[in-house]
Amino acid sequence: MAGLMEAITSLAKRRGIAFQSSEIYGGLRSSWDYGPLGVELKRNVKDAWWRSMVQLRDDVVGLDAAIIMSPRVWEASGHLEVFTDPLVECLNCHQRFRADHLPGVHAPQSGHEEDETTVDMHERPTCPNCGHHDFTDPRNFNLMFKTHMGPVVDEANAVYLRPETAQGMFVDFVTIQSVSRKKVPFGIAQIGKSFRNEITPGNFIFRMREFEQMEMEFFVEPGTDEQWHDYWIEQRRRWYLDLGLREENVRLREHDADELSHYSKRTVDIEYRFPFTDWGELEGIANRTDFDLKQHEKFSGQDMTYFDQDRDERYHPYVIEPAAGVDRALLAFLIDAYREEEAPTAKGGTEKRAYLALSRELAPVKVAVLPLSRNERLTPEARAVFDLVKAEWMCDYDDAGSIGRRYRRQDEVGTPYCVTVDFDTLEDRAVTVRERDSMAQERLPVANLVTYLAERL
Ligand code: ATP
């Protein structure tokens, strides 16, 4: 669909799903705010992940670790040394770019892990801004945001905003294992903000400098890691499909050897067919081996092994990590759900109807209560219906404008059910329920409304 991204970003702004941060100051390029509907949608994405990864399992537990960790963590993890992107500057217009993202440069598709020598700048890269071909040599640029802890600004007080949530699970591994009394194989899951000083943020909420991740570290016995890796790849792929992404828009991509992160034995990305990149990463599922636990043991001097009672021995578990982005998943769900069609109007003609065919689980608002008109007899009746449903689901009450227009507004943000209260309701104690995708309407007693909706939501 031509202009799909424009349709999504304009819908997101117009309806307050997501928009530029600090807009009154001209906006901050890589920061975005989620408005009333966006915050619901985002929470639903995170809840769906938590439900599938933690609640429905007995082998994964949760964690909420600090964003600012000991700076030693990033020495041990390797991020201080190798979490870099190759930065170049155009010699003509002086704009800066990620060398491996320039048109005309052949480099591994993604990742921050390749060093400057793998970026071949001799293939006539082109400046996306001015079209010239001359650049500075690539230099490695560390993506971590640095700040200072406490009142004194000096190197001794330097700390970093975490660039991934994963290290929380590694440094807390021994504590969590003992308090949860879980046996390997088991996992630790976390949802939270991460920060990367990306050279070229963009494509709406696809690449930001402040974003949210949903990561799980699954600790397994060495030797069983490859099987568990395959298991998690399939689990995670299914999660996206079950929440509504169309199968033809989702694919798996194996990382090439020269693209693998410094800690990874094998990584498979789940990719989505984003309109702006063709295929773009939604989630990476890596076999991180025992790299992180061993590094933290080396740097902290603490024993990071697990005691396997059945085998009566200690070992460093291997780790399988499904690492997803909340914002990217949300963007993919929005894009995939966007539909435009010609719909019949009340007057017998047709008009364009745009709607979000979001899954029931993800829809920001589940039910809208719409009195036919703003009227002193209808309002209390409609309010009473609203009170019934709002106790169960996130609901909206709207009595402004024509009923047709109000349906369109709900369709556009993916509300699965609209409940209309009209003058007949005062007599027959029944309401009309309209379903979003089919626009089919059904009349039922108010007394049955909650049960009817509960069966469908
Ligand atoms: P990319 O190659 O796109 O930079 P990555 O391979 O560095 O991503 P990971 O380190 O595997 O990403 O992070 C796991 C997930 O976190 C990604 O799949 C993505 O969904 C999300 N993510 C990473 N960086 C960003 C970002 N700058 N903005 C939004 N989401 C991000």
Side-chain angles (χ1 to χ4, degrees):
M1 198 189 303
L4 177 55
M5 271 316 282
E6 287 89 306
I8 298 285
T9 48
S10 107
L11 172 68
K13 183 174 160 67
R14 188 159 32 85
R15 298 303 306 276
I17 298 171
F19 44 86
Q20 282 259 284
S21 153
S22 320
E23 232 165 13
I24 61 166
Y25 291 103
L28 189 64
R29 204 174 135 221
S30 57
S31 293
W32 296 86
D33 293 348
Y34 289 88
L37 291 168
V39 86
E40 296 300 330
L41 178 57
K42 198 178 186 201
R43 198 183 23 238
N44 293 342
V45 170
K46 292 190 277 186
D47 284 351
W49 188 87
W50 197 263
R51 185 176 150 78
S52 132
M53 300 297 275
V54 182
Q55 188 187 331
L56 295 179
R57 306 186 64 99
D58 65 358
D59 56 358
V60 179
V61 293
L63 174 69
D64 186 8
I67 286 173
I68 301 178
M69 305 176 75
S70 162
R72 296 276 287 160
V73 168
W74 310 112
E75 278 176 50
S77 69
H79 282 82
L80 265 174
E81 202 181 327
V82 300
F83 195 62
T84 57
D85 274 340
L87 173 73
V88 291
E89 187 176 316
C90 170
L91 290 175
N92 182 54
C93 72
H94 301 289
Q95 285 241 9
R96 293 185 175 143
F97 302 97
R98 224 175 111 168
D100 56 325
H101 281 181
L102 285 177
V105 169
H106 173 76
Q109 275 209 24
S110 68
H112 301 299
E113 297 79 19
E114 60 271 26
D115 64 31
E116 60 193 282
T117 52
T118 64
V119 179
D120 182 358
M121 294 296 288
H122 301 295
E123 294 173 57
R124 297 292 283 166
T126 308
C127 175
N129 185 48
C130 71
H132 278 247
H133 302 290
D134 299 311
F135 293 89
T136 57
D137 284 337
R139 86 178 158 83
N140 283 342
F141 171 75
N142 195 292
L143 296 171
M144 283 199 293
F145 276 94
K146 192 175 184 174
T147 184
H148 298 89
M149 193 96 147
V152 184
V153 179
D154 68 14
E155 255 330 277
N157 294 327
V159 289
Y160 301 89
L161 304 187
R162 67 180 177 200
E164 61 173 25
T165 66
Q167 294 304 322
M169 283 77 112
F170 295 126
V171 300
D172 290 345
F173 167 70
V174 174
T175 304
I176 305 282
Q177 192 276 321
S178 78
V179 298
S180 67
R181 294 162 51 240
K182 292 288 175 203
K183 287 183 170 175
V184 165
F186 80 98
I188 309 177
Q190 171 163 221
I191 300 179
K193 286 257 166 116
S194 291
F195 301 81
R196 297 181 186 179
N197 204 357
E198 300 274 1
I199 295 170
T200 38
N203 290 321
F204 190 32
I205 53 174
F206 180 82
R207 189 177 302 284
M208 305 145 97
R209 293 193 172 118
E210 171 182 344
F211 56 98
E212 215 165 346
Q213 289 188 307
M214 311 182 275
E215 298 192 298
M216 197 272 287
E217 309 303 314
F218 198 73
F219 300 88
V220 305
E221 191 182 326
T224 64
D225 50 305
E226 290 178 12
Q227 259 165 288
W228 277 111
H229 196 189
D230 288 336
Y231 166 84
W232 280 111
I233 294 165
E234 185 45 29
Q235 289 292 308
R236 295 302 308 144
R237 193 183 75 92
R238 276 250 65 88
W239 184 79
Y240 291 100
L241 301 182
D242 289 348
L243 284 172
L245 293 192
R246 282 165 285 191
E247 203 153 355
E248 67 267 26
N249 293 336
V250 177
R251 74 169 190 192
L252 298 177
R253 188 181 69 82
E254 190 87 31
H255 280 213
D256 296 332
D258 63 349
E259 187 194 345
L260 284 177
S261 314
H262 59 283
Y263 51 71
S264 176
K265 168 172 162 187
R266 177 186 174 218
T267 297
V268 172
D269 285 348
I270 300 179
E271 296 190 328
Y272 180 73
R273 200 195 293 270
F274 286 102
F276 45 84
T277 58
D278 203 11
W279 293 99
E281 175 180 337
L282 272 180
E283 166 161 355
I285 302 150
N287 181 343
R288 288 182 82 131
T289 68
D290 53 8
F291 176 86
D292 299 271
L293 289 178
K294 280 190 168 160
Q295 284 292 104
H296 286 303
E297 182 166 294
K298 194 164 125 196
F299 278 72
S300 69
Q302 305 284 320
D303 181 2
M304 300 299 280
T305 55
Y306 166 75
F307 180 66
D308 189 323
Q309 285 176 337
D310 302 334
R311 288 176 40 191
D312 195 26
E313 63 172 341
R314 294 200 156 271
Y315 56 80
H316 293 96
Y318 266 43
V319 177
I320 305 302
E321 173 196 73
V326 177
D327 313 271
R328 275 195 203 173
L330 185 151
L331 180 58
F333 288 127
L334 270 183
I335 293 170
D336 220 79
Y338 188 81
R339 309 272 193 280
E340 282 178 8
E341 64 179 24
E342 285 299 319
T345 62
K347 296 195 178 84
T350 63
E351 67 176 4
K352 193 185 94 177
R353 177 172 91 110
Y355 67 104
L356 290 181
L358 283 170
S359 75
R360 307 280 187 257
E361 205 173 341
L362 294 181
V365 172
K366 315 291 183 203
V367 182
V369 176
L370 314 172
L372 194 62
S373 60
R374 199 179 284 165
N375 170 285
E376 62 190 21
R377 286 171 62 224
L378 279 189
T379 300
E381 200 64 30
R383 282 273 162 201
V385 171
F386 180 58
D387 289 344
L388 267 183
V389 286
K390 79 175 187 210
E392 310 292 326
W393 304 281
M394 193 67 210
C395 296
D396 189 15
Y397 181 89
D398 184 10
D399 62 1
S402 79
I403 189 76
R405 253 187 70 82
R406 281 181 276 157
Y407 282 150
R408 295 288 172 271
R409 281 177 60 79
Q410 297 298 335
D411 286 348
E412 181 170 75
V413 296
T415 306
Y417 293 100
C418 288
V419 177
T420 307
V421 176
D422 56 27
F423 289 99
D424 290 340
T425 308
L426 304 173
E427 313 302 324
D428 66 2
R429 321 238 39 91
V431 287
T432 303
V433 179
R434 171 188 179 273
E435 196 274 332
R436 175 193 68 202
D437 300 348
S438 61
M439 297 190 288
Q441 305 198 4
E442 205 171 326
R443 191 139 181 107
L444 54 122
V446 174
N448 300 350
L449 180 62
V450 169
T451 321
Y452 176 92
L453 291 170
E455 280 165 5
R456 289 161 179 78
L457 278 167

